[in-house]
Amino acid sequence: MALPDMDSGVGHSFGLEFDGIQIKSITEISGLKMEQDVIELKENGADGKYVIKKLPGRWKAPEITLTRGLSSDTSFDKWIKDSQFGKMGAVRKGGAIIVYDYEGAPLKRYKLTNAWPKSLEIGTMKAGDTSVMTEKLVVTCERLEVE
């Protein structure tokens, strides 16, 4: 369902999909950023005046951080191990981050091309603490685009 004019999506409901497989229990995603270099062309115009033109340059590859509560699911662990052992054919994955509306229908998809895990960080462990332990997976990709 399309949003009415002047309404916006709420980011509380989203999903993560890699090679058609839904990855569950993701609590936070950060680093969704599409950026490219800016090239400055400095020249003198026909009238002799100094002119600066800004042109689009190369795309920059983003790093996306996925956070979830620590669980017995080992999908992140296997992905990291394969990356550490250089099995890049199995490690590079196509995927998408999907934002859903209130009714559960997809509102927007962000496509990741050739994504692979850069790092895995386990949350702080502190005796007597009652907070949820988390793991953060940093994924790098060659391209991020809106579908």
Side-chain angles (χ1 to χ4, degrees):
M1 173 180 140
L3 290 171
D5 287 343
M6 303 303 289
D7 280 350
S8 68
V10 177
H12 71 86
S13 184
F14 55 88
L16 180 65
E17 180 181 283
F18 276 107
D19 289 342
I21 299 168
Q22 286 280 81
I23 298 177
K24 307 211 186 278
S25 304
I26 303 294
T27 58
E28 182 179 343
I29 297 175
S30 63
L32 284 177
K33 184 176 182 179
M34 291 172 265
E35 183 180 11
Q36 65 188 108
D37 289 329
V38 176
I39 300 168
E40 284 191 0
L41 176 63
K42 299 172 185 175
E43 62 185 4
N44 289 326
D47 58 358
K49 291 184 180 178
Y50 181 69
V51 178
I52 298 176
K53 291 183 183 177
K54 294 195 176 191
L55 306 170
R58 290 187 200 154
W59 278 95
K60 295 181 181 182
E63 290 187 353
I64 300 157
T65 303
L66 311 170
T67 305
R68 71 176 181 182
L70 194 63
S71 71
S72 60
D73 180 13
T74 60
S75 58
F76 282 1
D77 304 335
K78 180 172 177 1
W79 203 17
I80 286 280
K81 281 181 188 174
D82 286 348
S83 174
Q84 288 174 335
F85 290 116
K87 299 179 183 177
M88 296 312 285
V91 171
R92 292 183 197 272
K93 296 186 181 293
I97 295 166
I98 307 134
V99 179
Y100 297 101
D101 67 11
Y102 286 110
E103 296 173 344
L107 184 62
K108 202 161 215 175
R109 291 177 59 95
Y110 299 94
K111 179 182 171 187
L112 289 85
T113 304
N114 288 334
W116 56 275
K118 176 185 167 193
S119 67
L120 179 65
E121 176 186 342
I122 306 305
T124 305
M125 296 181 205
K126 183 177 178 183
D129 192 8
T130 58
S131 60
V132 175
M133 288 200 54
T134 60
E135 57 184 354
K136 289 184 180 186
L137 180 70
V138 177
V139 174
T140 188
C141 64
E142 293 173 6
R143 182 125 175 140
L144 173 67
E145 54 193 315
V146 179
E147 287 189 322

